[in-house]
Amino acid sequence: MRIVEWACFTFSLSLVGCAGHNTSEPVAPPRQAEQKPTPSVPAGTPRLSATSLAKVPAGTFGPYLGMSSHGGVAVWAASEGDARGWYTHPFTASGESAGHAARIADAPNDLGLVSVRALGTGFALVSTHQVSDGEVVEVSLLSDRGVKLAGPTSVGHAANSVLWLEAIPNSGGAAIVWAASSAGHAELWTAEINARAELAGNARLLARDAGAWQAVAFGKGFALGVTHVGKASGAHGPIDVSFVNESGSAGAPIVVSAEASADLDLDLAAIGDQRDELVLAWSDHRGSESRVFSAALDQSGKIVAPAAPATPPLGEQAMLRIAAPTSGSGRGYLAWEAVDAQTAAHRTFQVAELRANGRVTNPRGLFEYWKMDGSTPEIAASANGVAVLTLAPVCERRVACEQSALIAPEFVEFDASFSPRSTEPVWPLDEAEPASLAWNLTCPSVTCFALSAASGDESRVSLTRLEHRSDAYRAPAARVELPPPPRIVGDEALAATAPLAQIALTETSAGTLLGWITDFDPTTPWVKLKKPTADGRFEPLRARIDLQAFAASEPFAALAASETLSLRAHSLGGIALSSSAHQNDALAAWAGLDNGQPQVFLTLVDKLGKKQTQRMLTHKNGDLSDIALLPSGNDYFVAWVDERNSDPEVYATKVNHALNRIAPEQRITQAPGAATDVSLVSTSNGVLVIWADARDTETAGAADIYAAALRPNDAARVAPEIPLEKTRPHSFSPASRAYGKNALVGWLEAAADSGEDPAAHVYFAVVDGAGRVVGNVQSVALPAGTPSTLALDCSDTTCHAVVSADDGGRTDLYALSFKDEKISSPVRIRSVSGAGSSVPPVLRGRELYIADAQQSGTRVRRLLLDW
């Protein structure tokens, strides 16, 4: 139950009503154009069987369906002039009519919520209606044939509106539970009735300040899960569970999540062989984006699975619901939305088995929902697996689905391995086209059912038997199959930031130290502030640098709060991180302004990113960019590009662990043309500096990749720099890594002007300790798009690379490998809409760190790869 579902809904086809357990809108397609499309299916395809319920007039509340393994009853409240009457229609367990529709009682005119629930025998009809001083909750008991046996009995009163209600059977009768609106949150109440619908005692208040909630039968009573809303802060959390016995008395609440980070979509269910494990699930944004979390308790109230992510870390998620068997034992299922997979036309949901430990298992299934108004599909556990009532285009299975295809309610059922075993439009036998509405999906035993309605002045409502009838229709569902490697198997956001300029990382004895610097326009005037900033200084804010330490093992959790290294950094300098031999601390190299001039700064931090010592390395005029670091025992090589001599040139030096300069600053390049994209790499014979240089090229602005060996003791250049490959197209974004005794350099190449070959390539060259190419420079073309950034990582025998490319409003990530002097074909592993980021990704083994810039903001993401 979620707070946003508190309102009643109005059916578009003359049906009006409010559901009790799940107040989502019935599965109804979007409005069609005046020329209504027709389904594309072969003639003679068998359709679903259905039993006609009634033609309900405008203003009818319902129908509502209650089903058990013994049969069912549909209940509705029809207008009768100035009055209203309750009607019922009974059904057998197979969905056949067990009698005729009959009027059983007068119904209130000002109805609110209605719920029909199966009891041990018969059904409970629970409803609310308005009175002069609020709203009243009433219950009547019906026989298996829909005959009223007792009631209506008033069990509660709300000064404001009732938001939700439920009937939960017990050995004495039933517990009636409801939520009443109270100043921006809800109060939860319960009252007990016996087998004669008589009230046993007074209504009891169970919880205040509720934002989301759910109640299910558990043990001899029921369990109530609540997400609380902070009165002052408005934050959602904590989440607790109360066990309520058969007399309506509740035990002390058990806190299952103390964090104030829950979204308002809590659900819970009793699962396991004896239905003795209680699992909760909810969306949680304790990270920088929403994930589905879960927890589990046993019947004693012991937390057997603490709050933790329930689902694989694959992008932003939102919980849909838990589906559990309505009776007996069986598997439970968790369904959630894969938010990142949403398109302009439909949403994508995934479903998997939910174990008693609160975690999902593989394999998984996915299904589409072709409606974008915030409504949701229905899901239920079935005898074969899990059933879904969704909306999708009605198309022939082996024919391309036209854009104008009719969108209608569809029944999808997954088998135990999450392969779709049934795909059927809700299209009753005697109808000319699929139903316009379908709702109340239920699977009480072997067969699933739903109510459905066709359009018209008087809506014809049927009980439709949902089952496998043919293989003629396209399935808006599939089993989630992992593609062959390389592939992404994990995707999680680590931080939400302003737009970024660079990401960096290093390993310490604590785990991974990740850093990032925001992008800030360096031409912004430097004007002192009239009020101090958070650090007490009057200097204006510039780029921000943050460091965050993460554990070395899964789950990839932050070890401490992030540390802010600078609020006034110079974006063009970027950030470089490196650890010395003992790895108990790390060095950050970055650029900041001193008297209006960007300078190289070195900051020694501990293994959690906390600042220890800092020193300004350079004292020069002119711009500064592309800082690089390389450890050398307990010392460090530092390289960068600056314009002290008007032209962007490469400089380098060496410092010790105390940040004292071991050697003077060495000028590495002395040629017209800008140097960019500096990196440092070790070989068995020393250190190389690699960069892109726009000197001596045929096309203005185009660059080639150069290498130079540095002297180990003072970082001076050993010999003239060496071009790795002279080409007419523009070469850029070089990355280098140690590769056996040598080094591997990778870079990108794209056409420098419109008259050249538009194909884009990834280049690799093995270079020795002097910077000379060993063997031949090799390249491979990207399948599509214009490359923008390159990440590279190597072991002694194999190197992996990831390239980002822009392709017509879409950003693709390609993965490729270099082994035995051969390049693999690029494989697209990720594709997202929008312009690509210019921030180079960082690759370390299976981990890829990227800056993901979307409309909702920029996030630092960690992708986990299978190579």
Side-chain angles (χ1 to χ4, degrees):
M1 174 65 201
R2 57 177 77 187
I3 196 169
V4 296
E5 294 174 345
W6 285 358
C8 293
F9 50 72
T10 302
F11 289 7
S12 61
L13 300 174
S14 303
L15 301 175
V16 180
C18 282
H21 177 73
N22 181 355
T23 58
S24 59
E25 184 177 339
V27 175
R31 292 188 178 183
Q32 304 289 344
E34 291 185 11
Q35 184 67 34
K36 191 171 185 178
T38 57
S40 171
V41 292
T45 300
R47 301 178 190 169
L48 298 173
S49 60
T51 301
S52 179
L53 176 66
K55 286 188 175 181
V56 296
T60 296
F61 273 69
Y64 307 90
L65 179 64
M67 291 289 290
S68 72
S69 58
H70 307 294
V73 62
V75 181
W76 63 97
S79 296
E80 300 170 338
D82 295 332
R84 188 180 295 277
W86 286 116
Y87 288 79
T88 64
H89 190 143
F91 298 94
T92 67
S94 60
E96 299 170 345
S97 179
H100 298 289
R103 190 183 192 278
I104 62 167
D106 293 337
N109 269 325
D110 296 325
L111 271 173
L113 303 178
V114 180
S115 180
V116 181
R117 291 291 177 259
L119 303 180
T121 58
F123 301 88
L125 168 61
V126 191
S127 65
T128 68
H129 65 273
Q130 294 180 2
V131 293
S132 59
D133 59 347
E135 205 163 356
V136 172
V137 180
E138 286 186 341
V139 60
S140 297
L141 298 183
L142 311 179
S143 72
D144 288 337
R145 302 296 297 269
V147 176
K148 190 177 80 166
L149 301 177
T153 300
S154 175
V155 297
H157 173 271
N160 298 308
S161 58
V162 176
L163 309 169
W164 168 89
L165 77 168
E166 183 62 281
I168 301 174
N170 57 37
S171 60
I176 311 302
V177 193
W178 66 94
S181 175
S182 176
H185 54 271
E187 295 178 346
L188 297 173
W189 295 77
T190 187
E192 307 295 316
I193 60 166
N194 61 23
R196 297 180 298 278
E198 296 169 340
L199 186 62
N202 296 321
R204 298 171 184 252
L205 178 64
L206 297 177
R208 302 179 185 272
D209 304 327
W213 57 88
Q214 188 58 277
V216 296
F218 192 62
K220 293 184 178 180
F222 67 90
L224 175 69
V226 177
T227 301
H228 293 272
V229 178
K231 290 182 178 180
S233 66
H236 306 152
I239 297 174
D240 60 38
V241 174
S242 299
F243 292 162
V244 184
N245 62 25
E246 290 181 292
S247 65
S249 296
I254 304 161
V255 176
V256 297
S257 175
E259 301 292 329
S261 54
D263 294 330
L264 296 177
D265 54 7
L266 177 70
D267 203 3
L268 72 159
I271 64 174
D273 293 339
Q274 305 299 321
R275 297 174 65 83
D276 55 356
E277 296 285 347
L278 186 74
V279 291
L280 301 86
W282 66 95
S283 302
D284 199 296
H285 55 268
R286 64 186 64 184
S288 60
E289 66 184 1
S290 181
R291 287 277 304 279
V292 178
F293 272 60
S294 66
L297 299 86
D298 63 17
Q299 286 187 316
S300 71
K302 178 183 177 182
I303 297 176
V304 295
T311 51
L314 289 168
E316 189 166 10
Q317 305 163 357
M319 206 274 297
L320 176 60
R321 69 162 301 184
I322 303 172
T326 55
S327 62
S329 62
R331 302 202 299 178
Y333 302 91
L334 179 68
W336 68 96
E337 182 174 5
V339 178
D340 292 343
Q342 179 176 305
T343 72
H346 66 79
R347 298 157 67 188
T348 298
F349 293 84
Q350 293 200 17
V351 60
E353 182 182 357
L354 181 64
R355 292 290 177 87
N357 64 0
R359 312 296 181 254
V360 301
T361 62
N362 282 322
R364 307 188 304 274
L366 65 83
F367 59 92
E368 301 167 357
Y369 184 70
W370 285 66
K371 197 173 184 180
M372 305 299 291
D373 65 348
S375 58
T376 56
E378 295 185 31
I379 179 172
S382 71
N384 300 302
V386 60
V388 175
L389 190 60
T390 188
L391 281 167
V394 179
C395 303
E396 190 175 349
R397 182 179 182 183
R398 294 179 176 85
V399 176
C401 208
E402 299 291 337
Q403 189 174 0
S404 60
L406 176 69
I407 296 175
E410 287 202 45
F411 167 67
V412 174
E413 187 176 28
F414 294 94
D415 63 19
S417 67
F418 293 93
S419 295
R421 69 179 299 271
S422 302
T423 300
E424 304 290 342
V426 182
W427 192 346
L429 280 169
D430 54 352
E431 297 292 343
E433 59 186 33
S436 296
L437 283 175
W439 68 101
N440 274 180
L441 170 67
T442 181
C443 302
S445 56
V446 176
T447 307
C448 296
F449 301 92
L451 294 173
S452 62
S455 59
D457 293 335
E458 284 191 323
S459 298
R460 181 177 177 180
V461 181
S462 300
L463 179 68
T464 302
R465 182 185 175 100
L466 304 174
E467 57 189 343
H468 180 75
R469 297 287 289 162
S470 74
D471 294 314
Y473 299 97
R474 167 197 173 267
R479 175 185 162 113
V480 176
E481 300 285 358
L482 288 177
R487 64 194 175 198
I488 296 173
V489 295
D491 179 356
E492 57 186 322
L494 303 179
T497 76
L500 293 179
Q502 192 169 0
I503 300 172
L505 68 81
T506 190
E507 294 182 12
T508 71
S509 57
T512 298
L513 184 63
L514 190 66
W516 56 89
I517 180 172
T518 61
D519 191 22
F520 187 87
D521 184 356
T523 64
T524 303
W526 180 273
V527 179
K528 279 208 168 188
L529 304 176
K530 295 182 179 179
K531 293 183 179 181
T533 57
D535 59 2
R537 297 170 58 185
F538 288 85
E539 289 83 355
L541 300 177
R542 313 292 278 191
R544 175 179 175 135
I545 298 177
D546 287 296
L547 303 177
Q548 179 88 63
F550 293 89
S553 58
E554 299 292 334
F556 196 71
L559 295 173
S562 63
E563 296 283 346
T564 300
L565 187 63
S566 176
L567 296 173
R568 298 170 181 83
H570 186 61
S571 296
L572 295 179
I575 179 175
L577 288 173
S578 186
S579 298
S580 60
H582 56 79
Q583 291 192 323
N584 286 327
D585 52 29
L587 182 65
W590 52 284
L593 295 188
D594 180 68
N595 292 324
Q597 295 295 315
Q599 308 292 346
V600 177
F601 282 79
L602 301 177
T603 306
L604 196 68
V605 300
D606 68 14
K607 58 188 178 182
L608 297 181
K610 190 174 183 62
K611 186 186 298 184
Q612 303 295 301
T613 59
Q614 183 167 294
R615 177 159 298 182
M616 189 170 77
L617 182 66
T618 60
H619 300 78
K620 50 82 191 166
N621 293 323
D623 212 344
L624 171 71
S625 66
D626 301 290
I627 299 173
L629 268 179
L630 182 70
S632 176
N634 284 324
D635 301 331
Y636 297 91
F637 287 90
V638 188
W640 66 94
V641 172
D642 74 41
E643 299 181 18
R644 68 184 69 179
N645 292 302
S646 299
D647 196 47
E649 304 287 357
V650 178
Y651 291 80
T653 190
K654 192 175 183 181
V655 299
N656 62 20
H657 189 263
L659 308 187
N660 294 319
R661 196 196 318 267
I662 295 175
E665 297 171 16
Q666 309 284 353
R667 181 173 176 176
I668 306 302
T669 60
Q670 298 190 43
T676 58
D677 299 330
V678 173
S679 67
L680 292 164
V681 63
S682 293
T683 71
S684 61
N685 293 327
V687 174
L688 297 175
V689 58
I690 312 293
W691 72 97
D693 205 308
R695 72 176 76 174
D696 302 329
T697 55
E698 296 182 35
T699 307
D704 292 313
I705 308 303
Y706 282 76
L710 302 184
R711 203 156 51 203
N713 62 330
D714 63 359
R717 195 182 68 197
V718 174
E721 56 266 45
I722 301 172
L724 303 188
E725 181 88 337
K726 299 284 286 185
T727 62
R728 179 178 176 82
H730 176 51
S731 299
F732 61 100
S733 195
S736 55
R737 292 292 184 272
Y739 181 55
K741 295 181 179 181
N742 298 310
L744 183 74
V745 181
W747 68 91
L748 304 175
E749 185 178 270
D753 60 48
S754 59
E756 296 178 358
D757 180 3
H761 291 77
V762 184
Y763 278 75
F764 291 105
V766 178
V767 296
D768 63 17
R772 296 184 296 263
V773 174
V774 178
N776 297 317
V777 175
Q778 300 186 49
S779 69
V780 63
L782 287 182
T786 302
S788 56
T789 60
L790 168 72
L792 180 68
D793 189 49
C794 292
S795 66
D796 287 341
T797 60
T798 305
C799 294
H800 300 300
V802 174
V803 177
S804 65
D806 300 335
D807 188 9
R810 188 186 72 210
T811 301
D812 298 326
L813 290 182
Y814 290 94
L816 59 159
S817 299
F818 182 86
K819 184 177 182 180
D820 299 329
E821 315 306 316
K822 294 181 180 178
I823 308 174
S824 68
S825 297
V827 175
R828 189 170 66 184
I829 59 172
R830 189 174 191 259
S831 183
V832 295
S833 60
S837 171
S838 60
V839 180
V842 179
L843 181 63
R844 183 187 63 178
R846 298 181 61 205
E847 300 168 272
L848 180 71
Y849 298 84
I850 64 172
D852 184 25
Q854 300 293 325
Q855 288 184 347
S856 57
T858 299
R859 288 183 171 89
V860 180
R861 306 193 73 87
R862 174 184 180 252
L863 309 183
L864 195 63
L865 309 180
D866 274 352
W867 287 104

